[in-house]
Amino acid sequence: MRISRTATRLLAVPLVVCALGLIGANPAQAAVRTDRFSITERHFDFGDGDLGNISGDPKADGRLEWDLVNGTWEPRLLGRIYINNASGECVRVQMVITYQNGVVVTYTDNASEFCAPNGRTWYNDVDFTPVRSPYVASVVVRLQSAPAGGWSFATEGASAPYFTP
């Protein structure tokens, strides 16, 4: 049986497209692990979802996702920071990263920092990836507050240390 060149080409194109699709199926980025936690302090919280009506604590945990991109760790913090019944107060989060050689560096998320204009409940979303390094050993998340205009931040609470997977 003889197959024409056109028929051969028609059969080859889907095979090549399928092979290219399989090559691209291995993503360069993969979420290896997700650590879930909340930081709950008087007037200031980190978590996700809404605040509970009675407890005033976040109804869900925030997340520290450990992404591995081409052999490099990217710790990514996702969630919300809250100010509850604290007029004129400001809040922010920090990631304190310890590297494998023992060096400790603090990264501040200025994008999610905000101040409450009154005593109601306020929140801001957090999506913070401050570093990409194959040498990350652990991460601690700190929740900080300061009086509006004072800008001298103090740590209200912190997470447990989370170690690289």
Side-chain angles (χ1 to χ4, degrees), residues 42-67:
R42 184 175 180 194
H43 303 299
F44 309 101
D45 300 294
F46 171 79
D48 210 351
D50 297 327
L51 292 181
N53 292 333
I54 297 172
S55 68
D57 294 341
K59 290 184 180 178
D61 289 336
R63 304 181 315 275
L64 179 62
E65 293 182 352
W66 294 91
D67 295 331

Side-chain angles (χ1 to χ4, degrees), residues 113-132:
E113 181 180 308
F114 76 101
C115 300
N118 59 37
R120 297 177 59 196
T121 299
W122 298 91
Y123 69 86
N124 201 13
D125 292 323
V126 174
D127 187 347
F128 186 44
T129 308
V131 66
R132 291 163 179 82

